[in-house]
Amino acid sequence: MSIPEFNEIVEPNDQTEARREHLERLRDLIGNVYPNKYRREVLQDGQVIIPDQKATITNVARFARPIKDKHISELPEGEKPSDEHRDAANAELNQYRIRIAGRLAVPPRVMGKAAFVHLSDGIERLQIYVRKQDAKAVNNDTGETIDEEGTAWELFGLLDHGDFIGVEGFLFVTKTGELSVHVETIQFLSKAMFPMPDKMHGISDPELQRRFRYADLIASSLQVERDDLTTREVFERRAKLISGMRRFLDDNGFIEVETPMLTPKATGAAAKPFKTHHNALGIDLYARIAPELYLKRLTVGGFEKVYELNRNFRNEGLSQKHNPEFTMLEFYAAYMDVNGMMDFAEAMIKESVQKATGGSLQVNYDGRAIDFSKFERLTMKKAIVRHWREENRQLGNEFFEIQWLDSPVQVARLRRFLAYMSVAEVEYVQSANPTRYIIEDAKKIIDEKAMEARIKEAKNIWFSVSDEIQENTSEVFESFEKNVVELFEIVAEEKLIQPIFIIDYPKSISPLSKASPENPNVAERFELFINGMECANGFSELNDPQEQYERLIDQMKEREGGDEEAMVLDEDYIRALAYGMPPAAGIGIGIDRLVMLLTNKHSIRDVILFPHMRPERKEGETVE
RNA sequence: GGUCCGAUAGCUCAGUCGGUAGAGCAAAUGGCUUUUAACCAUUGGGUCGAAGGUUCGAGUCCUUCUCGGAUCACCA
């Protein structure tokens, strides 16, 4: 592996070379081109009224704008304020001496012996006005201003779009009514060697957006026009959602904890882990796939309400909805059951969504309104029936009278029908799941007459099923449960657009969940679906150590049977439960997916600052 | 892994039927002391993702490969 030259990283071309030359000329002019600090502040009558760390461009602009607005109200496009109003505004504004620093958000607009440019702190921008005869430069080696006439103007001429400078001067309003800083001293702070992203389009290639996130974020503050959230705003919204959730949990008596990221056993969820090795201990460790079992150990230990908001790692495929590391909020509350947890989670999500959106419970996702003000609750079977009937109506036939899928015969009938109607049979989509039922796709490839014939045949199959099914055996029952879940995924999942808790999961696929007191085959478990995405998963936690032991042993058997994602037995967890865990409910909430919904993003990589990508490869390098 | 789409100047993109490589922005030089996607004039800037093929001639057609995106299958 060869170490690249600086020039291979900052490749010389006409853009970078021009900037590099400017940097050298600046060095001759003012010395150190990367000084260590700049003191920002706002003064009135020699008194500091906004101190250094608070004197951001955003804060200064928000401080000064109301003063301007007192005299000059919002003007229509192209109209200028009267001299009288402007003089009044300036009389007040001129008394503030300000020192601000930021990045040149636009290329300098030079007009002979004066120039305008906007400085940005990433959020807001403030215009500065530099007049040749009024401005002095700062020597960065001595810290003193350079008295020589024209030095500041020369310095200004060597600035490029994207450079950082600090300026001192006074506030005023221009002829066109824009709040500005009349610059008296100018200090160079840092150079942008690369040209800034396109001011109209930003960075449009999604790969470059993610790979060079810093440049994408710069583009957020430079872009002139935009119709959706900038990248910066996406991540600000993400931060607000997360802080809203933390606040809600803290206010409700939860304590935030951190449990191991590197664990000797990958448990708590059904997933493949990343494996690593600890040299000193001489053991293999797994990046955690879920913090669940650790958090429940803490409820054993007496933390009645705990939460952890952090990363999980799963060594699985990447997709729009899947990143190898993703952020999950998990929390557990003693003495609560699944119903109490749904109430609580709903309240928490509502409040934090409002914090993130600035008050609204409605968001636009992909042209569709998603309404967080109402969370429906529906059993899995009812969801299947509801959405199956919708398909059925589209089909224009009404012979299916499914009740509530409460017998294996009904489930088997529906499943057989779907398998029969599958488009894969006519070899339209070779890779398609054979049980996938896509009516629109089917219509594309078979005409109406053929469709009618198929439906007729399906009808025969439908009624032939009952003879084959032997009810009331445990084997039939287990496959019945699995079929229900499968049907749910095929028929209903993608149609669950508005927030909905799906309840009554089969116990067999919920090894950490308690059974319902009403039905021993049903787990007290829910999943929250929004826009067809699973966003949360919770249940009444199983706290009987003996039963938990047996359920995990069953999982181990499935693992031996080839299910790589079945859970493994964690002996210490069983021991912990044996110390006694109070009845409790828990939930895991996929933060990235919620953020996607709140920011109208279709890819999880757009809501993760640095998503995992293939490494950059230079020409000539080969794949290993 | 399958299918579809894409890769042209530093950036965003055009490029007709196969016939001299284009625009805007950015850059360089000059002008302009209240502009704001500043403006005016001039100039430079290209291995058209890579390799091979067809052709008198390829950015354009064909084959293979690389990278990326979308989508399907697995998964939260």
Side-chain angles (χ1 to χ4, degrees), chain A residues 39-104:
Chain A
R39 191 183 76 253
R40 302 172 295 177
E41 60 193 7
V42 175
L43 296 100
Q44 183 180 22
D45 303 328
Q47 299 294 307
V48 175
I49 57 167
I50 303 180
D52 189 0
Q53 286 310 309
K54 288 191 174 165
T56 61
I57 286 170
T58 300
N59 284 343
V60 172
R62 288 176 188 175
F63 160 77
R65 215 169 277 139
I67 299 171
K68 188 207 84 175
D69 291 344
K70 271 196 295 187
H71 304 279
I72 302 163
S73 49
E74 193 69 28
L75 292 165
E77 185 79 19
E79 238 174 82
K80 293 176 180 174
S82 70
D83 286 349
E84 192 187 328
H85 287 132
R86 211 156 59 78
D87 289 346
N90 283 338
E92 195 169 344
L93 288 168
N94 287 172
Q95 60 181 313
Y96 298 106
R97 176 149 213 88
I98 73 160
R99 290 171 58 88
I100 54 165
R103 189 192 281 279
L104 266 67

Side-chain angles (χ1 to χ4, degrees), chain A residues 200-331:
Chain A
M200 298 309 290
H201 308 92
I203 295 178
S204 57
D205 183 335
E207 186 202 348
L208 301 181
Q209 283 178 358
R210 296 161 188 164
R211 217 181 265 293
F212 309 127
R213 188 64 90 191
Y214 36 86
D216 185 31
L217 286 167
I218 291 171
S220 294
S221 63
L222 303 185
Q223 227 167 315
V224 177
E225 284 171 16
R226 54 194 187 214
D227 38 19
D228 56 353
L229 293 179
T230 65
T231 300
R232 185 190 177 105
E233 286 164 338
V234 166
F235 289 100
E236 284 172 344
R237 193 169 272 209
R238 181 182 174 118
K240 282 182 194 158
L241 178 78
I242 288 174
S243 68
M245 288 178 160
R246 278 209 166 94
R247 186 167 312 158
F248 192 91
L249 291 167
D250 293 343
D251 289 349
N252 279 279
F254 281 78
I255 182 168
E256 181 169 11
V257 297
E258 287 137 291
T259 64
M261 292 271 181
L262 295 176
T263 59
K265 280 185 176 169
T267 61
K272 291 181 222 162
F274 287 93
K275 193 176 174 182
T276 185
H277 185 79
H278 190 279
N279 292 337
L281 289 174
I283 54 168
D284 285 338
L285 291 170
Y286 299 92
R288 72 164 175 208
I289 55 175
E292 175 151 356
L293 301 191
Y294 284 106
L295 293 173
K296 282 192 278 194
R297 282 175 171 96
L298 295 175
T299 67
V300 169
F303 286 113
E304 290 189 355
K305 292 175 169 180
V306 285
Y307 74 97
E308 179 161 14
L309 205 169
N310 218 318
R311 237 70 61 77
N312 289 342
F313 307 87
R314 299 191 184 174
N315 202 349
E316 285 161 359
L318 284 77
S319 84
Q320 278 183 300
K321 293 180 197 160
H322 301 90
N323 195 60
E325 56 183 291
F326 62 101
T327 299
M328 179 107 99
L329 168 63
E330 277 203 21
F331 59 89

